[in-house]
Amino acid sequence: MYKDFSLSAITAGFLAVLISYSGPLVIFFQAAQNAHVSPDMMASWVWAISIGAGVSGIVLSWWLKVPVVTAWSAPGTALLVTLFPHISLEQAVGAYLVAAVVILGIGTSGYFDKLMHAILKGIASAMMAGILFQFGVGTFQAVKTMPAITFGMIAVYLLFRRLLPRYCLVVLLIASLAMAVAFKGVSLAGVGLHLASPVFIRPEWTWGATLSLALPLVLVSVTGQFLPGMAILRSAGYSTPARPIIMVTSLASIGAAFFGGITVVIAAITAALCTGKDAHEDARKRYVAGIANGVFYLVGGCFAGTIILFFAALPKELIAVLAGLALVGAISGSLAGAMQEADHREASVITFLATASGMGFWGLGSAFWGVVLGAVAYLLLHKRWSAPAQSV
């Protein structure tokens, strides 16, 4: 690993954690407010999801030598916002455990791998592009609220993408923090070091929590996280099977659940930062980014209170610009992959549009429907159907 070490990979891992804490964590805060939990309990939640994601990411990246980035289920967290306080925290933990066991069964059965092999690469790339599209657009939408910082960050990105492409994201991160201090008056003076204390929660199983939280959590985790997450690995050239990834993350989910942590899954959005050329030119050495991502999660979990205060001090618009620019390479690569095969183009465009639209139907996310509609379009437009044999 020492020979494969690179600053760009470490930076990619850190940025993935940065975006996770500054984006999906906001939904977690809202769910905690609805559940009326104490700050100590909230810190325990953050500790649990961070440790679960960190340990599973390090183990998988080291074991498989692939940049496996794990996180908590963002769509699943959104479910909590609608369910609290109608279910108790103990019932939610029971539902977490049920969901983890069901997902573990799906992973060990091998059915998920069969589903992934059936998805065309062009359609998978189009789905990834559709997922990342909103982040790219968010870069330019931030001009409305902070034009100086936005244009300044774009200029820094373009300049150092030309001069120092491998360390472009490092410079961009430093420059963005400097501009936030200069133009927005951001101050980190109130951020201190505070170790998190995990709080054990005794699970309670009920049919209501199982039907309203556990089963929908399985559905959104598989279709909204594992499906696009594995597609990102495939589009980056990694043929790693889903079985070991689902097994390790499910086991991590079981451990995290007892301290309030929701299901641990493979990351979909932030994974693109660690699987592309920005992490390292050599795809065989990008696994370091996955390990770095896990290490930063472990640090963030130990200092959950500090991390919360730090990211709360940064403007949300700045994080949006940073995320969008960091994902430009991944977006362009996905679009290129979607358009590469002539027979896939129309189906890929349909997949991209459906996924980028954010549509939802029957409780399933746009990533799932993008793949389904794209596959149907390919079958109808380009699949050769054999003519029935004529009788003599």
Side-chain angles (χ1 to χ4, degrees):
M1 180 179 170
Y2 177 78
K3 295 180 180 179
D4 296 338
F5 175 89
S6 67
L7 182 58
S8 57
I10 302 300
T11 303
F14 175 74
L15 284 175
V17 173
L18 174 70
I19 295 170
S20 294
Y21 278 143
S22 59
L25 197 61
V26 176
I27 307 174
F28 223 60
F29 285 140
Q30 188 177 356
Q33 291 173 349
N34 290 356
H36 306 293
V37 302
S38 65
D40 289 340
M41 182 62 73
M42 179 59 195
S44 179
W45 286 16
V46 177
W47 177 89
I49 58 178
S50 300
I51 299 300
V55 171
S56 58
I58 292 173
V59 169
L60 288 168
S61 297
W62 181 280
W63 174 26
L64 303 174
K65 291 298 184 288
V66 168
V68 180
V69 177
T70 54
W72 57 94
S73 175
T77 307
L79 288 173
L80 295 178
V81 177
T82 63
L83 293 175
F84 284 141
H86 302 296
I87 65 173
S88 68
L89 185 57
E90 292 76 14
Q91 292 172 347
V93 171
Y96 294 165
L97 292 172
V98 172
V101 172
V102 172
I103 294 174
L104 179 62
I106 294 174
T108 54
S109 67
Y111 284 115
F112 189 87
D113 283 321
K114 295 179 181 178
L115 175 64
M116 285 303 304
H117 286 300
I119 299 176
L120 298 172
K121 183 178 180 180
I123 291 178
S125 297
M127 179 183 66
M128 177 181 170
I131 293 171
L132 302 179
F133 176 76
Q134 59 180 316
F135 291 87
V137 172
T139 295
F140 304 97
Q141 291 176 337
V143 172
K144 298 178 181 178
T145 55
M146 50 175 212
I149 295 180
T150 302
F151 285 122
M153 291 177 66
I154 293 174
V156 170
Y157 174 82
L158 294 175
L159 178 63
F160 285 92
R161 188 68 177 170
R162 175 65 184 270
L163 299 177
L164 296 171
R166 188 171 180 178
Y167 303 105
C168 174
L169 295 182
V170 180
V171 179
L172 180 63
L173 177 61
I174 297 173
S176 63
L177 292 176
M179 283 186 277
V181 173
F183 294 102
K184 286 287 188 178
V186 172
S187 175
L188 302 178
V191 179
L193 296 178
H194 302 284
L195 287 173
S197 299
V199 179
F200 180 82
I201 303 171
R202 185 182 299 274
E204 178 183 342
W205 284 274
T206 65
W207 280 110
T210 299
L211 295 176
S212 61
L213 178 57
L215 295 185
L217 182 57
V218 171
L219 214 55
V220 298
S221 296
V222 172
T223 63
Q225 295 282 164
F226 283 107
L227 184 62
M230 291 304 301
I232 287 173
L233 284 178
R234 294 284 192 274
S235 62
Y238 299 104
S239 57
T240 306
R243 180 179 294 180
I245 295 176
I246 295 180
M247 290 179 61
V248 171
T249 53
S250 297
L251 293 175
S253 298
I254 293 174
F258 289 103
F259 302 95
I262 199 169
T263 308
V264 177
V265 294
I266 185 173
I269 305 300
T270 54
L273 293 171
C274 300
T275 57
K277 292 184 179 180
D278 286 333
H280 202 287
E281 287 292 333
D282 189 346
R284 296 171 299 178
K285 298 182 179 181
R286 294 174 193 164
Y287 75 94
V288 175
I291 295 176
N293 178 263
V295 171
F296 283 120
Y297 266 131
L298 295 182
V299 175
C302 293
F303 297 96
T306 302
I307 293 295
I308 293 171
L309 291 175
F310 173 76
F311 288 109
L314 298 178
K316 294 180 180 179
E317 296 86 350
L318 183 143
I319 299 297
V321 177
L322 182 62
L325 292 176
L327 291 169
V328 167
I331 295 172
S332 60
S334 299
L335 290 174
M339 298 294 105
Q340 188 172 4
E341 297 291 338
D343 288 347
H344 298 180
R345 285 175 188 166
E346 289 178 276
S348 296
V349 169
I350 291 175
T351 300
F352 169 75
L353 293 175
T355 305
S357 71
M359 64 173 289
F361 188 58
W362 287 347
L364 301 174
S366 61
F368 172 81
W369 287 114
V371 172
V372 170
L373 294 174
V376 170
Y378 175 77
L379 291 174
L380 292 177
L381 296 175
H382 301 288
K383 182 70 174 178
R384 294 181 180 273
W385 303 97
S386 56
Q390 297 181 353
S391 57
V392 179

